[in-house]
Amino acid sequence: MTTDPAEAFAARPVTHDEVLEGFRDVHPRAKAIIHHGKDWKAWVTCDRDPIERWVDGRAVLLGDAAHPMLQYFAQGACMALEDAVWLAELLGDTPDAVEQALEKYRQVRLLRTARVQLQARELGTHVYHPAGVHALLRNQFMRETSLEQFCDRLAWLYGSPFP
């Protein structure tokens, strides 16, 4: 199984052995779960750089349509739910000014979702998939980071996105 496929694919069948190879460095207890699976498929995951244009008149994007992100922060659905709450709030506050509410929604959500998009990508590169010296550096950094420091660095993400 490749982490950088030459072509996009969706639900390409893979063998049990290919799945095991993809998880070769996983703890044996976690790896044992793989033996219960059947009909394995590989999927390409994709993101894109943040964009500023989410609104066109009375049409608006939210969730992955506005800000697709990789899985490394596990925040795609969370960002879509935050989008929905903001949209509902802003449209409810100004039902006669839809275009202005949609633009306010875009302004409020843009930088937070862009940060999650870009940092999820970096997590994949620097935390989940490094090799060699890059992995050694990651391991040293993680050993030297206390639980309190780790949580402090993520407070922006897990704190309330609503004023």
Side-chain angles (χ1 to χ4, degrees):
M1 210 153 77
T2 178
T3 58
D4 189 20
E7 62 185 60
F9 59 84
R12 180 178 57 80
V14 293
T15 67
H16 183 78
D17 289 340
E18 287 177 287
V19 175
L20 284 174
E21 176 60 22
F23 290 90
R24 71 179 171 272
D25 297 324
V26 172
H27 188 278
R29 240 189 241 162
K31 197 184 303 187
I33 296 169
I34 293 169
H35 297 296
H36 297 284
K38 299 176 185 168
D39 194 28
W40 292 99
K41 306 270 192 285
W43 296 80
V44 171
T45 56
C46 301
D47 71 343
R48 80 159 182 256
D49 288 335
I51 60 168
E52 291 188 53
R53 188 162 181 243
W54 299 5
V55 178
D56 186 1
R58 295 173 62 97
V60 66
L61 300 175
L62 63 84
D64 281 352
H67 42 73
M69 56 191 64
L70 295 172
Q71 71 274 16
Y72 301 109
F73 255 144
Q75 290 296 304
C78 295
M79 293 300 108
L81 289 169
E82 288 180 13
D83 288 352
V85 170
W86 272 105
L87 264 175
E89 231 7 76
L90 292 167
L91 288 169
D93 289 347
T94 56
D96 297 327
V98 172
E99 287 88 356
Q100 291 87 345
L102 297 181
E103 178 54 28
K104 175 72 174 171
Y105 151 77
R106 185 198 68 83
Q107 290 172 7
V108 167
R109 298 294 297 148
L110 181 65
L111 294 181
R112 177 172 172 81
T113 58
R115 184 174 182 182
V116 177
Q117 276 181 286
L118 295 173
Q119 287 193 355
R121 187 184 295 166
E122 292 301 308
L123 274 175
T125 300
H126 300 293
V127 175
Y128 286 90
H129 299 294
V133 175
H134 193 168
L136 294 172
L137 183 60
R138 179 238 8 234
N139 295 348
Q140 178 184 352
F141 176 78
M142 294 301 279
R143 276 192 303 276
E144 294 173 353
T145 302
S146 71
L147 178 59
E148 184 176 292
Q149 290 169 321
F150 186 79
C151 291
D152 286 347
R153 289 182 184 137
L154 293 174
W156 70 271
L157 180 60
Y158 296 110
S160 176
F162 308 107

